[in-house]
Amino acid sequence: MKSTGIVRKLDELGRIVIPIEVRRVLNIDVKDSLEIYTESDTIIFKKHTPHCFICGSSKNTIIFKGKLICRDCINVIKEAGQ
């Protein structure tokens, strides 16, 4: 993990501002979703990338009946049904 040397305080509602420099480097835009992880005493934020609910791929995905699924899994399912 790389330290940026930037320190921020939480506000009364528990919010923290991620500095613009960090957001630019990580390509995080306004309204992007972030995943939050914890590891012992560390909080980790990761830009959320929607992924296939079967294989976890984030490439060539579509929404099918409310679930995100990739075209590769769709093809596997089609082949299994024949």
Side-chain angles (χ1 to χ4, degrees):
M1 201 176 328
K2 187 176 13 172
S3 174
T4 63
I6 301 169
V7 176
R8 292 285 191 256
K9 290 187 178 184
L10 289 175
D11 71 7
E12 306 80 33
L13 298 175
R15 297 175 297 195
I16 190 166
V17 174
I18 300 171
I20 188 71
E21 299 86 3
V22 174
R23 289 183 278 141
R24 283 183 182 148
V25 167
L26 298 177
N27 196 29
I28 298 171
D29 293 317
V30 174
K31 304 235 179 183
D32 280 351
S33 296
L34 299 177
E35 295 182 56
I36 304 169
Y37 300 91
T38 60
E39 189 173 297
S40 65
D41 65 345
T42 303
I43 301 170
I44 301 165
F45 289 92
K46 179 182 175 198
K47 186 173 178 179
H48 175 70
T49 306
H51 55 275
C52 175
F53 79 101
I54 296 173
C55 71
S57 173
S58 59
K59 296 180 182 177
N60 297 317
T61 57
I62 62 166
I63 296 176
F64 179 74
K65 294 193 175 185
K67 301 275 186 181
L68 208 59
I69 185 169
C70 70
R71 297 199 185 275
D72 290 341
C73 286
I74 291 170
N75 291 334
V76 169
I77 293 167
K78 281 181 184 177
E79 290 172 8
Q82 294 179 357

